[in-house]
Amino acid sequence: MSDFANSADLDEELESLEVVDDGPEASDHRPDTADAYGEDPPEPVEDTRIDRVALRRQIEDYYLPTQLVDAILEMGGIPESSEVTLVGIGFIDIADYTYLSQFLSPQENQDVLNGLYTAFTGVLKRHGGYLNKLEGDSLMFHYGGNIDPRVRNMDDAEAKRYIAKELFYTCVEMQRVCALFNQANERFLVEGVSEEARDSLRRAFNIISTLRNTFELARNINALFQIRIRIGANIGKVTIGNFGPDGAKQWDVIGTAVIDAKRMESTAPVGGLRISGELYQALVETRVAEEYYTRFLREARLLRSYYRDITMEELFRFSEVEIKEKRGALFQTYSVQVTPNLPESIAKQVVDLINIGPAGADRVIDLLKYYRGNPYVINAIEDAFTQIGVVLRKRYILSTMYPLQFEAIERQFDGNVDAITEHVEAHFTLFALLEKLGRFQDIVKQPDSRGGADTEFVDYDRYMSAAETRIRAAYAESRKTMVQRAYFFNVVFPLVFASIRSSIIEYQIGAEELETLAGA
């Protein structure tokens, strides 16, 4: 039964209630929370609704290339069609970064890479280059095209001169900046650098400085942790414009010139630069090559570097690079030295590596294999060996590579070991021996003969009889070369570097024994 006996009682009870007039929202009135629960009200819930317009603007500002946005705004609209135009393209790759990354945590790796790319971006801004993309430990940039305001009003000849010069000097400066970055040296910073960029560099420099200055780690880290890059560059016609599906458009450049620039990078010397024949000719025509040689030579002489007597041909070293995926196609390229004190830097690293034990010896051998074609670096390394007391067995190395030549020397000195050793030391530098090793390698790498031209098809039996004769003759002709090749790569090459490594290990053990005696 209802608490109210009849409707009259209900009406009387309603009239006794205090009426609160809250206006038109009165029907939504709820008791005060404190009154309802007899306690302090809970903290108000923060409104988590997103201002999507503001967030979209923030995303665009954060991820879209400012340079591209500014160029499109200046043009007054997004270009709807692509164009074929002259562009200079550069690629950078960090050499052996997988090895370097083992010294760092994932967050430290990110901070170091961000700092390095911040440094590289600063170089691009100074020269007017466009950062095309970052992919892991590599970077692509270019000059020219309709988003490059500096070439917009130039004719083709002017644009080519401008692009060639800026591309080349950007590559050179990238290597110089990398060397300073390696030392946590911010000398490359210029006025006007944003605070965000400075913070990025500080985080990277703090990590590098900590690694290099922590007493327990310093010797090993200074020897092993060296950030070095390879750079490749080319100039040529490309298609530039919008690529990709709706919702994922990218402003990009495509074409053979881009592919060739990447090939230049993949074959470039670590710490150096490889440029295409096309770019080199543009540098010669504009006298940039001559200007650069004068500048490099002056710096090397001021530093009293091993490079102080380098020639123009050695600074721009011509070589034909074979591209296997192009069926052995040869590309005319030039390897360019960019660091005047590179020989001294490598020699110092070699000494540091020798002082950390067998693992260091292995890294020294890697450096010797890599730089064995550079007489200035190898001479600096040999001088470092001599200064600290590493004794190379050149007599053994020569006899392993060229036994007949060594036997002639033995006969010349009637088998007198001391006289033979003195003769070999006087006439064969380490570079001369490695150069001989390289010539040996070039000989055994010569392609085998195909055994003559194919015969005209008459019928199966006669055609196959001629083919078998031709193929067997080719095999007989190449068998000697096959044996020589196997002997070189499985015996000579390993023994030469095993001998050098053994000399380093001999020195290391001797140094350890001296330390033990000194501490006894």
Side-chain angles (χ1 to χ4, degrees):
M1 179 180 291
S2 170
D3 290 337
F4 300 103
N6 53 53
S7 59
D9 293 336
L10 178 58
D11 291 341
E12 182 180 350
E13 194 67 31
L14 289 172
E15 288 175 1
S16 69
L17 295 176
E18 179 180 0
V19 178
V20 180
D21 185 5
D22 278 339
E25 304 294 332
S27 60
D28 291 332
H29 175 71
R30 295 291 184 270
D32 182 80
T33 305
D35 293 340
Y37 295 98
E39 58 186 14
D40 291 337
E43 292 293 326
V45 178
E46 182 180 353
D47 186 355
T48 59
R49 288 176 297 179
I50 298 173
D51 183 340
R52 299 183 67 85
V53 174
L55 179 60
R56 177 180 288 274
R57 187 178 301 113
Q58 183 182 5
I59 292 171
E60 291 171 350
D61 290 344
Y62 196 79
Y63 288 106
L64 287 181
T66 304
Q67 194 175 359
L68 176 62
V69 173
D70 290 344
I72 292 173
L73 288 172
E74 187 177 335
M75 287 187 287
I78 298 174
E80 295 183 358
S81 59
S82 300
E83 69 170 7
V84 176
T85 187
L86 184 75
V87 167
I89 311 104
F91 281 92
I92 294 176
D93 183 70
I94 304 176
D96 206 10
Y97 192 75
T98 302
Y99 175 81
L100 296 177
S101 65
Q102 67 181 308
F103 296 99
L104 306 172
S105 70
Q107 183 61 55
E108 287 172 334
N109 269 301
Q110 181 180 354
D111 287 342
V112 169
L113 282 176
N114 283 342
L116 186 60
Y117 289 145
T118 296
F120 289 158
T121 302
V123 177
L124 283 175
K125 286 180 178 178
R126 285 195 293 278
H127 287 270
Y130 177 73
L131 175 60
N132 183 288
K133 59 174 67 73
L134 291 171
E135 291 182 351
D137 57 2
S138 62
L139 175 153
M140 173 185 169
F141 57 94
H142 61 78
Y143 287 85
N146 54 9
I147 66 166
D148 187 340
R150 301 192 188 190
V151 302
R152 202 164 291 155
N153 297 317
M154 293 181 181
D155 60 33
D156 290 347
E158 288 177 312
K160 185 176 182 179
R161 287 195 296 270
Y162 162 77
I163 291 170
K165 182 175 182 177
E166 294 302 327
L167 174 63
F168 177 73
Y169 277 119
T170 294
C171 294
V172 171
E173 192 173 339
M174 291 284 196
Q175 284 288 7
R176 303 287 182 92
V177 164
C178 183
L180 292 171
F181 184 89
N182 227 356
Q183 304 163 15
N185 185 336
E186 61 180 26
R187 202 171 70 212
F188 57 84
L189 288 178
V190 296
E191 293 183 6
V193 176
S194 70
E195 194 58 36
E196 183 181 356
R198 290 184 183 276
D199 285 343
S200 181
L201 286 167
R202 286 190 197 108
R203 286 193 295 272
F205 286 172
N206 285 339
I207 293 167
I208 294 172
S209 297
T210 300
L211 286 173
R212 299 208 185 285
N213 297 320
T214 301
F215 180 76
E216 297 82 1
L217 300 175
R219 189 170 71 171
N220 290 3
I221 292 299
N222 287 332
L224 296 170
F225 189 84
Q226 296 290 332
I227 299 174
R228 289 198 169 94
I229 59 174
R230 58 170 63 91
I231 306 179
N234 183 34
I235 188 170
K237 294 280 188 178
V238 301
T239 301
I240 183 169
N242 301 303
F243 297 91
D246 290 343
K249 294 285 187 187
Q250 290 187 346
W251 184 262
D252 210 345
V253 294
I254 64 169
T256 303
V258 179
I259 298 170
D260 290 346
K262 180 61 179 174
R263 287 173 176 148
M264 296 303 103
E265 175 268 303
S266 64
T267 58
V270 175
L273 161 67
R274 187 177 297 281
I275 62 176
S276 64
E278 291 80 5
L279 179 53
Y280 177 73
Q281 291 304 320
L283 297 176
V284 170
E285 291 168 5
T286 56
R287 304 184 71 83
V288 171
E290 182 180 343
E291 170 190 281
Y292 176 68
Y293 173 65
T294 302
R295 166 184 157 182
F296 186 94
L297 202 60
R298 183 172 64 250
E299 289 183 70
R301 287 174 177 172
L302 286 172
L303 294 168
R304 297 186 177 181
S305 168
Y306 283 80
Y307 277 146
R308 60 186 174 272
D309 296 320
I310 195 170
T311 65
M312 180 78 162
E313 291 72 22
E314 290 171 325
L315 185 64
F316 291 91
R317 184 181 176 188
F318 173 78
S319 63
E320 289 187 325
V321 174
E322 181 180 351
I323 308 298
K324 292 182 179 179
E325 64 268 24
K326 296 288 288 184
R327 297 184 178 180
L330 295 176
F331 282 80
Q332 292 191 340
T333 73
Y334 291 81
S335 175
V336 186
Q337 299 300 329
V338 299
T339 309
N341 65 341
L342 179 69
E344 291 77 13
S345 174
I346 298 298
K348 181 182 182 304
Q349 186 183 2
V350 163
V351 173
D352 290 338
L353 286 166
I354 289 174
N355 288 329
I356 66 173
D362 292 335
R363 295 292 290 177
V364 170
I365 296 304
D366 289 340
L367 288 171
L368 283 170
K369 288 178 180 177
Y370 185 82
Y371 286 105
R372 61 194 173 103
N374 186 320
Y376 299 96
V377 172
I378 297 301
N379 288 343
I381 292 174
E382 183 173 10
D383 287 347
F385 283 164
T386 302
Q387 288 166 13
I388 65 175
V390 174
V391 180
L392 298 176
R393 305 304 200 275
K394 295 181 182 178
R395 189 165 57 88
Y396 175 84
I397 294 172
L398 181 62
S399 67
T400 300
M401 290 192 300
Y402 290 93
L404 295 180
Q405 181 179 353
F406 184 73
E407 287 173 7
I409 295 173
E410 284 185 313
R411 289 193 298 271
Q412 180 183 348
F413 293 97
D414 296 324
N416 186 313
V417 174
D418 291 338
I420 294 169
T421 300
E422 184 179 348
H423 174 82
V424 172
E425 286 289 336
H427 290 82
F428 295 94
T429 64
L430 177 59
F431 175 74
L433 291 171
L434 294 178
E435 190 176 35
K436 278 182 169 291
L437 185 70
R439 284 201 293 268
F440 195 158
Q441 183 174 353
D442 289 340
I443 291 170
V444 300
K445 284 176 65 178
Q446 291 295 323
D448 297 332
S449 169
R450 295 285 180 177
D454 197 0
T455 55
E456 183 180 354
F457 186 88
V458 178
D459 58 51
Y460 175 85
D461 291 334
R462 277 185 285 184
Y463 181 83
M464 283 305 302
S465 176
E468 182 176 355
T469 300
R470 184 180 70 253
I471 291 170
R472 289 186 181 279
Y475 170 72
E477 184 180 334
S478 65
R479 185 163 51 185
K480 181 180 177 181
T481 304
M482 291 164 60
V483 171
Q484 288 177 333
R485 187 178 300 146
Y487 181 73
F488 175 83
F489 286 108
N490 293 290
V491 179
V492 175
F493 193 88
L495 281 178
V496 167
F497 288 103
S499 173
I500 298 172
R501 185 181 184 277
S502 296
S503 295
I504 295 171
I505 298 294
E506 177 185 52
Y507 165 81
Q508 291 173 330
I509 292 174
E512 288 176 5
E513 290 175 350
L514 284 175
E515 286 184 12
T516 302
L517 289 172

